[in-house]
Structure formats: C-alpha cells, structure tokens
C-alpha cells in the first residue's frame, strides 16, 4: 500500500516560518506528482503547491512567494517551507500524491495542524 504521513505542524507567530514534511511509503511509480493542500474549519480543501517527479512546481496564488515545495526522491519525502505566515494560513495541511502508471492513483495523508497566532 501507499501511505503518506505529514509532520512538522505546530503553533507559530504571524510572520514566522514552518517546514512541513511528508514521508511516503509503499510502491510509487517514477512518474508522480506530490503536493500540499490545506483545509480550514468551515472551508473547502484548498490546493497549495505541487511538484512533479522532475522537479517542476506549481503554486496557488495565495501562497506564491511565501511557500516553497521541494522533494527528496531518495527519501520519498516532500517538503513545504512556509514563510511569512499569516493567521489565515491556520488550517490542517494535507500531503497528496498522484501516482502515474498506465493509469493513475491518488493518495492522501492524515494531515498536520498549523496554527498561526500571536
């Protein structure tokens, strides 16, 4: 099976930084996309950033310039560096992986809480 486990969440002050990690286990094809989403209470899940196997990235406008996604293929791990955090960034952050073979499959982590507050 493929499992994703997020870590690195916590409490941070506005303007601060936090780095999230997502470790993947199980069989993953060489062609895949991993990303980060978040969901605040009462809101829909929001796309934040994605990174392909070759390192190409895509960001939501809400986090562009503040968040950076990266990955370490040897460790099967994806990271999200979050800078200049705002209270509105408070949410549960989820790791996502889309695995491409002849078809494709999608997996989600359990989420990690990020709280931005003074």
């Amino acid at each position: 099976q493929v499992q994703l486990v997020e870590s690195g969440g916590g409490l941070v002050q506005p303007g601060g930084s936090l780095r999230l990690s997502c470790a993947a286990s199980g069989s993953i094809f060489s062609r895949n996309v991993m990303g980060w989403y978040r969901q605040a209470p009462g809101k829909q899940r929001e796309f934040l950033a994605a990174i392909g196997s070759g390192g190409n990235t895509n960001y939501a406008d809400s986090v562009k310039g503040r968040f950076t996604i990266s990955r370490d293929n040897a460790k099967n791990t994806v990271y999200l560096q979050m800078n200049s955090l705002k209270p509105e960034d408070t949410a549960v952050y989820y790791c996502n992986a889309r695995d491409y073979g002849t078809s494709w499959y999608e997996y989600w982590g359990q989420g990690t809480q990020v709280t931005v507050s003074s």
Side-chain angles (χ1 to χ4, degrees):
Q1 75 278 19
V2 174
Q3 290 186 326
L4 306 175
V5 180
E6 303 95 335
S7 63
L11 176 64
V12 64
Q13 293 187 340
S17 298
L18 207 60
R19 186 178 181 88
L20 305 182
S21 299
C22 173
S25 63
S27 298
I28 303 178
F29 291 102
S30 59
R31 185 187 178 194
N32 62 79
V33 177
M34 300 188 72
W36 289 94
Y37 292 70
R38 69 185 179 191
Q39 188 166 23
K43 296 185 178 181
Q44 298 185 61
R45 189 165 296 186
E46 175 190 14
F47 167 78
L48 299 176
I51 183 167
S53 303
N56 51 303
T57 59
N58 187 36
Y59 295 93
D61 289 341
S62 61
V63 303
K64 190 174 297 183
R66 298 190 299 124
F67 292 9
T68 302
I69 189 170
S70 61
R71 63 188 294 166
D72 186 337
N73 291 332
K75 296 181 178 179
N76 292 323
T77 301
V78 63
Y79 306 93
L80 186 68
Q81 177 66 46
M82 305 185 294
N83 300 323
S84 302
L85 284 164
K86 307 172 182 178
E88 50 263 45
D89 293 320
T90 297
V92 177
Y93 284 68
Y94 295 92
C95 181
N96 167 271
R98 187 169 291 185
D99 193 17
Y100 293 89
T102 56
S103 185
W104 64 269
Y105 304 89
E106 192 169 52
Y107 307 93
W108 292 93
Q110 295 297 309
T112 184
Q113 177 70 46
V114 172
T115 302
V116 184
S117 179
S118 299

